[in-house]
Structure formats: C-alpha cells, structure tokens
Amino acid sequence: MTEPPRPSHDFTAVYAEDEPGPTALPFTRRASADGHGIVVEGNCPRCHGRTATEYRHGLPGTGTKGLLTWLTGAGPEPGNDTADLTREVHFCECGHPHPNLPADAAFVGCGASWRLTALRSGNAT
C-alpha cells in the first residue's frame, strides 16, 4: 500500500511548547548504531520536520528494561517492546531552530511533543 506524500518541513512554524495529541503518523524504531538503545524516527506532526530520538537501554523514564536482565537471559532485549515506546512522550528534534526558539530549549525543533499510537520496526522511509 502506498502512503500519501508527507507535507514539507514548515521552517516558518514558530516555536511553541505544544502537544498536538497522539499521532498515527508513520514512525519506526530500530536499534541504535552502537546497539545500546532504540532510535524512534519519523516526521513531527506539527512542523513535519524529520525527527529522530534515541532512547538508551535502562535509562529511567525511557520505558525500557535494563541490560542486566537481558544479559543474564532473564528478559527480552531491552527496549524492544513497542508498547513501552508508545507510552513515551516524544519531542520534535528536527534540528531546525524555529523562530522564537528559547536559548535554553531542551530540543532544537518546533516545541511539539506527542505520543505515538503505533510504531513499525525497521528503517524509516
């Protein structure tokens, strides 16, 4: 099935800490380059910029399980549970300094935050 074309990145969107609500936009998860985390990537539902966030295994608040249970064989690969990642709040990290971006902003993007309704495995397209 072919997906509809994605809107272009709106570089003029003014920075605003905004939660557009849960999004069904296509996001994917994949292992990080070093294998010690999960990368969630897709397009921001507000500015439509490409965003990718890495969640390290075992960090508090990331919804992932620690490495110890995985290394000892007592549990599944950490962070491999899509349900954990859909409970997380994701933030726009498009890397574009949108107008009015505060100097102390935690993420360089448009200020949006959201939860995902679903995730796909593999590389984002």
Side-chain angles (χ1 to χ4, degrees):
M1 181 174 171
T2 304
E3 291 182 23
R6 294 182 187 131
S8 297
H9 190 164
D10 181 1
F11 295 103
T12 64
V14 176
Y15 179 91
E17 292 185 14
D18 180 33
E19 186 174 341
T23 183
L25 289 173
F27 274 78
T28 60
R29 69 170 175 79
R30 62 174 169 79
S32 63
D34 66 5
H36 295 290
I38 299 292
V39 177
V40 175
E41 45 190 341
N43 288 76
C44 170
R46 185 167 175 264
C47 75
H48 310 291
R50 194 82 184 142
T51 183
T53 304
E54 182 173 342
Y55 295 91
R56 304 298 286 178
H57 296 313
L59 290 179
T62 62
T64 59
K65 296 182 180 180
L67 286 173
L68 185 58
T69 56
W70 176 57
L71 291 172
T72 61
E77 179 181 351
N80 216 12
D81 184 357
T82 297
D84 287 343
L85 293 169
T86 58
R87 286 191 291 269
E88 288 298 315
V89 175
H90 302 273
F91 298 89
C92 178
E93 293 186 61
C94 69
H96 178 73
H98 283 267
N100 296 340
L101 177 73
D104 63 347
F107 303 101
V108 177
C110 73
S113 61
W114 61 90
R115 293 183 194 274
L116 301 171
T117 58
L119 269 167
R120 297 184 302 205
S121 295
N123 293 322
T125 54

